[in-house]
Amino acid sequence: MDQQYIFNFKTDIYNIPITSKLNNPFSIGVSQIARIAATEFQVFISNESKNWTYDFDIKRGKMFGVLVIQQRDNTYAYLGTVSGKLSRTVSCDQFIPSVFDDAVGDYFMNRGMTKLTEISDQIKMTTDPIKLALLKEKREKHSIALQRRLFENYNFSNLSGNSKNLIEIFEQCNHGNPASGAGECAAPKLLQYAITHDLKPIALAEFWWGNSMKNEERQHKMFYPACRDKCRPILEFMLEDDLLYERRVGV
């Protein structure tokens, strides 16, 4: 386990009530311990972002997440990460990384994207209608195949230690094909790291940092539930429907 990903609480949490059951990620409620972790993580982001080329005052904000965990020695700490990526040139060694390993299959994703770019460049230079139609069909088929292979290499573990990729998870719950970007949100990344490193998930919270999205209400530092189209099938598999207990009370 990489200790670089573990954030120790700076706040005295001795008298903070901590439940042993993970909160429902799709509920709007945020526990006190999760709020403390988020506040500390926001200070970290504020300081760390000074070294990034990503300006949150100019570019669109991002969703971030924290997961309070109980370690093997029964002490509490938390993990943190960003949904998706800030940009290709920005990284943070203390954020929980993507579940997908870029190096898998001899960097098949990078090679596949390069090929897509080459086909797109050919399309821009082609005036013959028949050749143009064939190139567009080729690009579409390549894109679909590449995305499917990508989803097949997003592997998530559940609380029992079983593993499934995104294709299997979405097929199992009859949600069709995974949405673009599925698996890159903060919640599944945080839970995957915790489950595979014997860290007990205690409290999860996601918040927006930076400018609002166009046509959507996203406010700086405000908490939001996990997204349903991308995350619900994944989290239900990972938590083995453990989060469903709150549905019975109308959440």
Side-chain angles (χ1 to χ4, degrees), residues 101-119:
D101 181 0
D102 290 339
V104 72
D106 191 25
Y107 295 91
F108 79 85
M109 193 63 191
N110 291 346
R111 291 186 287 105
M113 292 302 294
T114 298
K115 185 175 180 180
L116 272 180
T117 300
E118 292 173 353
I119 298 174

Side-chain angles (χ1 to χ4, degrees), residues 22 99 154-165 168-169 172 188 191-201 233-243:
L22 181 69
V99 174
Y154 269 87
N155 296 294
F156 291 91
S157 300
N158 64 12
L159 295 172
S160 295
N162 300 316
S163 179
K164 289 183 182 293
N165 63 43
E168 295 170 328
I169 290 173
Q172 177 181 321
L191 285 168
Q192 175 67 10
Y193 187 86
I195 290 173
T196 56
H197 289 82
D198 197 23
L199 301 169
K200 184 180 179 180
I234 304 171
L235 300 186
E236 287 183 350
F237 165 72
M238 298 181 77
L239 300 174
E240 300 178 48
D241 284 348
D242 194 45
L243 59 90

Side-chain angles (χ1 to χ4, degrees), residues 1-20:
M1 180 171 59
D2 295 313
Q3 291 297 322
Q4 72 188 59
Y5 297 130
I6 305 293
F7 288 86
N8 294 313
F9 281 99
K10 296 180 179 180
T11 305
D12 183 359
I13 61 170
Y14 182 78
N15 292 317
I16 301 299
I18 301 175
T19 62
S20 61

Side-chain angles (χ1 to χ4, degrees), residues 134-150:
L134 291 174
L135 283 171
K136 287 184 177 179
E137 181 181 3
K138 181 180 179 180
R139 181 175 64 180
E140 182 180 8
K141 288 182 178 179
H142 179 71
S143 178
I144 292 173
L146 184 62
Q147 186 167 64
R148 182 174 181 85
R149 187 177 178 186
L150 174 65

Side-chain angles (χ1 to χ4, degrees), residues 21 24 241-251:
K21 194 174 185 68
N24 185 338
D241 284 348
D242 194 45
L243 59 90
L244 298 181
Y245 77 98
E246 289 196 18
R247 285 196 201 159
R248 291 194 286 273
V249 294
V251 175

